[in-house]
Amino acid sequence: MRNLYACATLLYVGLFQYFRPILMVHDLDLIKKITITDFESFTNHNIYPNVLCADKLFQKNVFSMAAKDGWYELRGALTPFFTGSKLRRWYSLMQVCSTQILDYLNSCERTDYVDVRDLFERYSNDVIGSATLGVSCNSVLDRDNAFFHGCKSLADFSGMKGITYVVYSLYPRLLKIIAPSLLKSKMTNFFLQLIRENMLYRLESNIVRD
C-alpha cells in the first residue's frame, strides 16, 4: 500500500482488494470531477463488504450502501449537515474540546510522557460525540468513559472481528446462511440506547440544535 501511495505522480492506479478491483485516484482535479462534476455517474460508494450490511449499526450508513439500497437518497439527506455554515457552527463545540486538551497539556509536567496518538484519538472522539450526538465528555480526564471505549471498539477490527471481516469479504454468500455481527450485542445496545436517550431528552427538553 505504501508503494501505491508513492506513485503520486500517476493520475490513478488499480489494485485488487481480495477479488474486487479497486481504483485509487491520486489527482485532486480528477477526484473533484468524480465526486462533484460527474457525480451522477459515480453514485455507488459501497466501500465495505456486505458483511457490514448485516450488522444493525452498519447496515444504513453511507459507506456500506449501494445506490439500489437508497445510498443516493441518504447522501442527499446528509449533505445539508455538512455545508460551510453548518461546519462553522460546530466551531464552538470543537473549541470546547480543544480547550480541554490544552488544559490537560498545561497541567502536565515537562517530564511527563504524553501519548500523542491517544491524545488525538480522545480529542476526535469528543468532537464527534459533541457535534453529531450531543454527547459532552472529557475523554482526557475521564479516561474510562463508556462513550470513548464504545467508539474505540467500533473501529477496532483486530482479533476475531478482523477474521470475520476478511472471511465474509471473501465469501459474501455466507451472509445468506449466517447473519454475522461485528459488534458484541452489549456494545450494539449501548449505542442504540445512547441515541434513543439523547433523542428523548431533546424532545422532552425542547432542545433544537442547528
Side-chain angles (χ1 to χ4, degrees), residues 180-204:
S181 178
L182 295 178
L183 293 178
K184 295 180 179 179
S185 58
K186 180 180 178 181
M187 193 57 61
T188 300
N189 293 334
F190 167 76
F191 279 104
L192 293 177
Q193 184 66 21
L194 177 68
I195 295 172
R196 291 192 188 103
E197 290 179 353
N198 192 281
M199 293 174 63
L200 181 62
Y201 174 74
R202 291 189 185 187
L203 287 173
E204 292 178 345

PDB file of all heavy atoms in Angstrom, residues 180-204:
ATOM      1  N   PRO A 180     -23.876 -12.375  10.373  1.00  0.00           N
ATOM      2  CA  PRO A 180     -22.759 -12.038  11.255  1.00  0.00           C
ATOM      3  C   PRO A 180     -22.993 -10.738  12.009  1.00  0.00           C
ATOM      4  O   PRO A 180     -23.768  -9.891  11.592  1.00  0.00           O
ATOM      5  CB  PRO A 180     -21.598 -11.871  10.273  1.00  0.00           C
ATOM      6  CG  PRO A 180     -22.259 -11.340   9.052  1.00  0.00           C
ATOM      7  CD  PRO A 180     -23.601 -12.012   8.983  1.00  0.00           C
ATOM      8  N   SER A 181     -22.310 -10.592  13.104  1.00  0.00           N
ATOM      9  CA  SER A 181     -22.337  -9.345  13.847  1.00  0.00           C
ATOM     10  C   SER A 181     -20.905  -8.995  14.210  1.00  0.00           C
ATOM     11  O   SER A 181     -20.202  -9.785  14.834  1.00  0.00           O
ATOM     12  CB  SER A 181     -23.179  -9.474  15.115  1.00  0.00           C
ATOM     13  OG  SER A 181     -23.146  -8.267  15.846  1.00  0.00           O
ATOM     14  N   LEU A 182     -20.466  -7.812  13.788  1.00  0.00           N
ATOM     15  CA  LEU A 182     -19.098  -7.404  14.066  1.00  0.00           C
ATOM     16  C   LEU A 182     -18.954  -6.807  15.463  1.00  0.00           C
ATOM     17  O   LEU A 182     -17.853  -6.596  15.935  1.00  0.00           O
ATOM     18  CB  LEU A 182     -18.643  -6.375  13.021  1.00  0.00           C
ATOM     19  CG  LEU A 182     -18.538  -6.906  11.593  1.00  0.00           C
ATOM     20  CD1 LEU A 182     -18.123  -5.790  10.659  1.00  0.00           C
ATOM     21  CD2 LEU A 182     -17.560  -8.053  11.504  1.00  0.00           C
ATOM     22  N   LEU A 183     -20.065  -6.518  16.102  1.00  0.00           N
ATOM     23  CA  LEU A 183     -20.028  -5.955  17.440  1.00  0.00           C
ATOM     24  C   LEU A 183     -20.741  -6.868  18.418  1.00  0.00           C
ATOM     25  O   LEU A 183     -21.702  -7.540  18.064  1.00  0.00           O
ATOM     26  CB  LEU A 183     -20.705  -4.578  17.464  1.00  0.00           C
ATOM     27  CG  LEU A 183     -20.019  -3.455  16.705  1.00  0.00           C
ATOM     28  CD1 LEU A 183     -20.860  -2.195  16.810  1.00  0.00           C
ATOM     29  CD2 LEU A 183     -18.631  -3.191  17.241  1.00  0.00           C
ATOM     30  N   LYS A 184     -20.273  -6.873  19.645  1.00  0.00           N
ATOM     31  CA  LYS A 184     -20.964  -7.618  20.683  1.00  0.00           C
ATOM     32  C   LYS A 184     -22.320  -6.964  20.932  1.00  0.00           C
ATOM     33  O   LYS A 184     -22.475  -5.749  20.811  1.00  0.00           O
ATOM     34  CB  LYS A 184     -20.128  -7.625  21.964  1.00  0.00           C
ATOM     35  CG  LYS A 184     -18.800  -8.364  21.828  1.00  0.00           C
ATOM     36  CD  LYS A 184     -18.024  -8.332  23.133  1.00  0.00           C
ATOM     37  CE  LYS A 184     -16.707  -9.084  22.999  1.00  0.00           C
ATOM     38  NZ  LYS A 184     -15.910  -9.048  24.253  1.00  0.00           N
ATOM     39  N   SER A 185     -23.295  -7.780  21.282  1.00  0.00           N
ATOM     40  CA  SER A 185     -24.648  -7.261  21.493  1.00  0.00           C
ATOM     41  C   SER A 185     -24.659  -6.182  22.573  1.00  0.00           C
ATOM     42  O   SER A 185     -25.436  -5.226  22.506  1.00  0.00           O
ATOM     43  CB  SER A 185     -25.592  -8.400  21.880  1.00  0.00           C
ATOM     44  OG  SER A 185     -25.132  -9.061  23.050  1.00  0.00           O
ATOM     45  N   LYS A 186     -23.781  -6.308  23.563  1.00  0.00           N
ATOM     46  CA  LYS A 186     -23.708  -5.314  24.636  1.00  0.00           C
ATOM     47  C   LYS A 186     -23.334  -3.951  24.075  1.00  0.00           C
ATOM     48  O   LYS A 186     -23.907  -2.923  24.458  1.00  0.00           O
ATOM     49  CB  LYS A 186     -22.688  -5.759  25.686  1.00  0.00           C
ATOM     50  CG  LYS A 186     -22.544  -4.793  26.854  1.00  0.00           C
ATOM     51  CD  LYS A 186     -21.516  -5.301  27.855  1.00  0.00           C
ATOM     52  CE  LYS A 186     -21.347  -4.313  29.004  1.00  0.00           C
ATOM     53  NZ  LYS A 186     -20.330  -4.791  29.982  1.00  0.00           N
ATOM     54  N   MET A 187     -22.368  -3.925  23.140  1.00  0.00           N
ATOM     55  CA  MET A 187     -21.926  -2.660  22.562  1.00  0.00           C
ATOM     56  C   MET A 187     -22.981  -2.088  21.622  1.00  0.00           C
ATOM     57  O   MET A 187     -23.221  -0.878  21.591  1.00  0.00           O
ATOM     58  CB  MET A 187     -20.604  -2.870  21.812  1.00  0.00           C
ATOM     59  CG  MET A 187     -19.899  -1.573  21.448  1.00  0.00           C
ATOM     60  SD  MET A 187     -19.557  -0.536  22.890  1.00  0.00           S
ATOM     61  CE  MET A 187     -18.498  -1.629  23.844  1.00  0.00           C
ATOM     62  N   THR A 188     -23.629  -2.955  20.852  1.00  0.00           N
ATOM     63  CA  THR A 188     -24.695  -2.502  19.962  1.00  0.00           C
ATOM     64  C   THR A 188     -25.821  -1.862  20.760  1.00  0.00           C
ATOM     65  O   THR A 188     -26.314  -0.780  20.423  1.00  0.00           O
ATOM     66  CB  THR A 188     -25.249  -3.686  19.146  1.00  0.00           C
ATOM     67  OG1 THR A 188     -24.197  -4.252  18.368  1.00  0.00           O
ATOM     68  CG2 THR A 188     -26.364  -3.227  18.223  1.00  0.00           C
ATOM     69  N   ASN A 189     -26.229  -2.520  21.830  1.00  0.00           N
ATOM     70  CA  ASN A 189     -27.299  -1.994  22.680  1.00  0.00           C
ATOM     71  C   ASN A 189     -26.901  -0.677  23.329  1.00  0.00           C
ATOM     72  O   ASN A 189     -27.741   0.204  23.534  1.00  0.00           O
ATOM     73  CB  ASN A 189     -27.669  -3.017  23.759  1.00  0.00           C
ATOM     74  CG  ASN A 189     -28.303  -4.265  23.175  1.00  0.00           C
ATOM     75  OD1 ASN A 189     -28.900  -4.223  22.098  1.00  0.00           O
ATOM     76  ND2 ASN A 189     -28.166  -5.385  23.870  1.00  0.00           N
ATOM     77  N   PHE A 190     -25.609  -0.534  23.647  1.00  0.00           N
ATOM     78  CA  PHE A 190     -25.133   0.700  24.262  1.00  0.00           C
ATOM     79  C   PHE A 190     -25.343   1.889  23.331  1.00  0.00           C
ATOM     80  O   PHE A 190     -25.867   2.935  23.739  1.00  0.00           O
ATOM     81  CB  PHE A 190     -23.648   0.577  24.617  1.00  0.00           C
ATOM     82  CG  PHE A 190     -22.995   1.889  24.977  1.00  0.00           C
ATOM     83  CD1 PHE A 190     -23.223   2.474  26.213  1.00  0.00           C
ATOM     84  CD2 PHE A 190     -22.166   2.546  24.074  1.00  0.00           C
ATOM     85  CE1 PHE A 190     -22.635   3.686  26.546  1.00  0.00           C
ATOM     86  CE2 PHE A 190     -21.576   3.752  24.393  1.00  0.00           C
ATOM     87  CZ  PHE A 190     -21.810   4.322  25.637  1.00  0.00           C
ATOM     88  N   PHE A 191     -24.954   1.752  22.066  1.00  0.00           N
ATOM     89  CA  PHE A 191     -25.090   2.857  21.123  1.00  0.00           C
ATOM     90  C   PHE A 191     -26.556   3.145  20.797  1.00  0.00           C
ATOM     91  O   PHE A 191     -26.963   4.308  20.699  1.00  0.00           O
ATOM     92  CB  PHE A 191     -24.317   2.555  19.840  1.00  0.00           C
ATOM     93  CG  PHE A 191     -22.849   2.835  19.945  1.00  0.00           C
ATOM     94  CD1 PHE A 191     -21.936   1.804  20.075  1.00  0.00           C
ATOM     95  CD2 PHE A 191     -22.374   4.130  19.933  1.00  0.00           C
ATOM     96  CE1 PHE A 191     -20.583   2.059  20.182  1.00  0.00           C
ATOM     97  CE2 PHE A 191     -21.018   4.402  20.041  1.00  0.00           C
ATOM     98  CZ  PHE A 191     -20.119   3.362  20.166  1.00  0.00           C
ATOM     99  N   LEU A 192     -27.340   2.095  20.628  1.00  0.00           N
ATOM    100  CA  LEU A 192     -28.758   2.297  20.341  1.00  0.00           C
ATOM    101  C   LEU A 192     -29.460   2.993  21.506  1.00  0.00           C
ATOM    102  O   LEU A 192     -30.274   3.901  21.304  1.00  0.00           O
ATOM    103  CB  LEU A 192     -29.428   0.951  20.044  1.00  0.00           C
ATOM    104  CG  LEU A 192     -28.985   0.247  18.758  1.00  0.00           C
ATOM    105  CD1 LEU A 192     -29.667  -1.113  18.635  1.00  0.00           C
ATOM    106  CD2 LEU A 192     -29.292   1.100  17.534  1.00  0.00           C
ATOM    107  N   GLN A 193     -29.131   2.579  22.721  1.00  0.00           N
ATOM    108  CA  GLN A 193     -29.727   3.197  23.905  1.00  0.00           C
ATOM    109  C   GLN A 193     -29.272   4.643  24.046  1.00  0.00           C
ATOM    110  O   GLN A 193     -30.058   5.526  24.422  1.00  0.00           O
ATOM    111  CB  GLN A 193     -29.347   2.398  25.158  1.00  0.00           C
ATOM    112  CG  GLN A 193     -29.988   2.887  26.444  1.00  0.00           C
ATOM    113  CD  GLN A 193     -31.495   2.706  26.448  1.00  0.00           C
ATOM    114  OE1 GLN A 193     -32.031   1.892  25.696  1.00  0.00           O
ATOM    115  NE2 GLN A 193     -32.181   3.457  27.288  1.00  0.00           N
ATOM    116  N   LEU A 194     -28.004   4.908  23.733  1.00  0.00           N
ATOM    117  CA  LEU A 194     -27.469   6.266  23.812  1.00  0.00           C
ATOM    118  C   LEU A 194     -28.214   7.201  22.868  1.00  0.00           C
ATOM    119  O   LEU A 194     -28.595   8.319  23.244  1.00  0.00           O
ATOM    120  CB  LEU A 194     -25.974   6.253  23.462  1.00  0.00           C
ATOM    121  CG  LEU A 194     -25.272   7.609  23.418  1.00  0.00           C
ATOM    122  CD1 LEU A 194     -25.197   8.212  24.815  1.00  0.00           C
ATOM    123  CD2 LEU A 194     -23.861   7.458  22.835  1.00  0.00           C
ATOM    124  N   ILE A 195     -28.451   6.742  21.645  1.00  0.00           N
ATOM    125  CA  ILE A 195     -29.154   7.565  20.657  1.00  0.00           C
ATOM    126  C   ILE A 195     -30.603   7.791  21.073  1.00  0.00           C
ATOM    127  O   ILE A 195     -31.128   8.906  20.981  1.00  0.00           O
ATOM    128  CB  ILE A 195     -29.079   6.898  19.268  1.00  0.00           C
ATOM    129  CG1 ILE A 195     -27.624   6.869  18.781  1.00  0.00           C
ATOM    130  CG2 ILE A 195     -29.956   7.639  18.266  1.00  0.00           C
ATOM    131  CD1 ILE A 195     -27.413   6.060  17.520  1.00  0.00           C
ATOM    132  N   ARG A 196     -31.260   6.732  21.547  1.00  0.00           N
ATOM    133  CA  ARG A 196     -32.664   6.863  21.971  1.00  0.00           C
ATOM    134  C   ARG A 196     -32.799   7.844  23.133  1.00  0.00           C
ATOM    135  O   ARG A 196     -33.692   8.707  23.140  1.00  0.00           O
ATOM    136  CB  ARG A 196     -33.211   5.494  22.384  1.00  0.00           C
ATOM    137  CG  ARG A 196     -33.385   4.507  21.232  1.00  0.00           C
ATOM    138  CD  ARG A 196     -34.200   3.314  21.681  1.00  0.00           C
ATOM    139  NE  ARG A 196     -34.228   2.265  20.669  1.00  0.00           N
ATOM    140  CZ  ARG A 196     -33.509   1.156  20.727  1.00  0.00           C
ATOM    141  NH1 ARG A 196     -32.696   0.941  21.756  1.00  0.00           N
ATOM    142  NH2 ARG A 196     -33.592   0.250  19.770  1.00  0.00           N
ATOM    143  N   GLU A 197     -31.930   7.716  24.130  1.00  0.00           N
ATOM    144  CA  GLU A 197     -32.000   8.597  25.293  1.00  0.00           C
ATOM    145  C   GLU A 197     -31.724  10.045  24.903  1.00  0.00           C
ATOM    146  O   GLU A 197     -32.359  10.971  25.426  1.00  0.00           O
ATOM    147  CB  GLU A 197     -30.997   8.144  26.356  1.00  0.00           C
ATOM    148  CG  GLU A 197     -31.369   6.833  27.032  1.00  0.00           C
ATOM    149  CD  GLU A 197     -30.345   6.406  28.055  1.00  0.00           C
ATOM    150  OE1 GLU A 197     -29.281   7.072  28.134  1.00  0.00           O
ATOM    151  OE2 GLU A 197     -30.589   5.418  28.775  1.00  0.00           O
ATOM    152  N   ASN A 198     -30.786  10.238  23.976  1.00  0.00           N
ATOM    153  CA  ASN A 198     -30.456  11.589  23.533  1.00  0.00           C
ATOM    154  C   ASN A 198     -31.630  12.223  22.797  1.00  0.00           C
ATOM    155  O   ASN A 198     -31.967  13.396  23.019  1.00  0.00           O
ATOM    156  CB  ASN A 198     -29.219  11.542  22.628  1.00  0.00           C
ATOM    157  CG  ASN A 198     -28.640  12.913  22.364  1.00  0.00           C
ATOM    158  OD1 ASN A 198     -29.148  13.649  21.542  1.00  0.00           O
ATOM    159  ND2 ASN A 198     -27.567  13.236  23.057  1.00  0.00           N
ATOM    160  N   MET A 199     -32.275  11.454  21.920  1.00  0.00           N
ATOM    161  CA  MET A 199     -33.434  11.959  21.181  1.00  0.00           C
ATOM    162  C   MET A 199     -34.589  12.275  22.124  1.00  0.00           C
ATOM    163  O   MET A 199     -35.253  13.313  21.993  1.00  0.00           O
ATOM    164  CB  MET A 199     -33.865  10.926  20.134  1.00  0.00           C
ATOM    165  CG  MET A 199     -32.864  10.721  19.013  1.00  0.00           C
ATOM    166  SD  MET A 199     -33.329   9.373  17.887  1.00  0.00           S
ATOM    167  CE  MET A 199     -34.867  10.007  17.220  1.00  0.00           C
ATOM    168  N   LEU A 200     -34.833  11.380  23.091  1.00  0.00           N
ATOM    169  CA  LEU A 200     -35.922  11.587  24.040  1.00  0.00           C
ATOM    170  C   LEU A 200     -35.673  12.820  24.903  1.00  0.00           C
ATOM    171  O   LEU A 200     -36.586  13.619  25.152  1.00  0.00           O
ATOM    172  CB  LEU A 200     -36.071  10.347  24.931  1.00  0.00           C
ATOM    173  CG  LEU A 200     -37.200  10.384  25.967  1.00  0.00           C
ATOM    174  CD1 LEU A 200     -38.553  10.514  25.265  1.00  0.00           C
ATOM    175  CD2 LEU A 200     -37.170   9.129  26.831  1.00  0.00           C
ATOM    176  N   TYR A 201     -34.424  12.996  25.335  1.00  0.00           N
ATOM    177  CA  TYR A 201     -34.072  14.154  26.165  1.00  0.00           C
ATOM    178  C   TYR A 201     -34.292  15.460  25.410  1.00  0.00           C
ATOM    179  O   TYR A 201     -34.814  16.438  25.956  1.00  0.00           O
ATOM    180  CB  TYR A 201     -32.616  14.036  26.614  1.00  0.00           C
ATOM    181  CG  TYR A 201     -32.112  15.250  27.363  1.00  0.00           C
ATOM    182  CD1 TYR A 201     -32.517  15.497  28.675  1.00  0.00           C
ATOM    183  CD2 TYR A 201     -31.237  16.146  26.750  1.00  0.00           C
ATOM    184  CE1 TYR A 201     -32.063  16.614  29.365  1.00  0.00           C
ATOM    185  CE2 TYR A 201     -30.777  17.264  27.431  1.00  0.00           C
ATOM    186  CZ  TYR A 201     -31.191  17.496  28.732  1.00  0.00           C
ATOM    187  OH  TYR A 201     -30.741  18.605  29.408  1.00  0.00           O
ATOM    188  N   ARG A 202     -33.924  15.481  24.129  1.00  0.00           N
ATOM    189  CA  ARG A 202     -34.104  16.699  23.337  1.00  0.00           C
ATOM    190  C   ARG A 202     -35.578  17.009  23.113  1.00  0.00           C
ATOM    191  O   ARG A 202     -35.989  18.172  23.129  1.00  0.00           O
ATOM    192  CB  ARG A 202     -33.391  16.556  21.988  1.00  0.00           C
ATOM    193  CG  ARG A 202     -31.878  16.527  22.092  1.00  0.00           C
ATOM    194  CD  ARG A 202     -31.238  16.601  20.723  1.00  0.00           C
ATOM    195  NE  ARG A 202     -29.793  16.457  20.792  1.00  0.00           N
ATOM    196  CZ  ARG A 202     -28.986  16.617  19.746  1.00  0.00           C
ATOM    197  NH1 ARG A 202     -29.492  16.913  18.568  1.00  0.00           N
ATOM    198  NH2 ARG A 202     -27.684  16.467  19.881  1.00  0.00           N
ATOM    199  N   LEU A 203     -36.375  15.960  22.903  1.00  0.00           N
ATOM    200  CA  LEU A 203     -37.808  16.176  22.704  1.00  0.00           C
ATOM    201  C   LEU A 203     -38.468  16.692  23.977  1.00  0.00           C
ATOM    202  O   LEU A 203     -39.261  17.642  23.939  1.00  0.00           O
ATOM    203  CB  LEU A 203     -38.473  14.863  22.261  1.00  0.00           C
ATOM    204  CG  LEU A 203     -38.187  14.397  20.828  1.00  0.00           C
ATOM    205  CD1 LEU A 203     -38.771  13.008  20.598  1.00  0.00           C
ATOM    206  CD2 LEU A 203     -38.764  15.381  19.811  1.00  0.00           C
ATOM    207  N   GLU A 204     -38.137  16.073  25.105  1.00  0.00           N
ATOM    208  CA  GLU A 204     -38.747  16.475  26.373  1.00  0.00           C
ATOM    209  C   GLU A 204     -38.292  17.858  26.814  1.00  0.00           C
ATOM    210  O   GLU A 204     -39.064  18.611  27.421  1.00  0.00           O
ATOM    211  CB  GLU A 204     -38.413  15.449  27.455  1.00  0.00           C
ATOM    212  CG  GLU A 204     -39.064  14.088  27.234  1.00  0.00           C
ATOM    213  CD  GLU A 204     -38.664  13.087  28.294  1.00  0.00           C
ATOM    214  OE1 GLU A 204     -37.682  13.363  29.025  1.00  0.00           O
ATOM    215  OE2 GLU A 204     -39.326  12.032  28.400  1.00  0.00           O
TER     216      GLU A 204
END
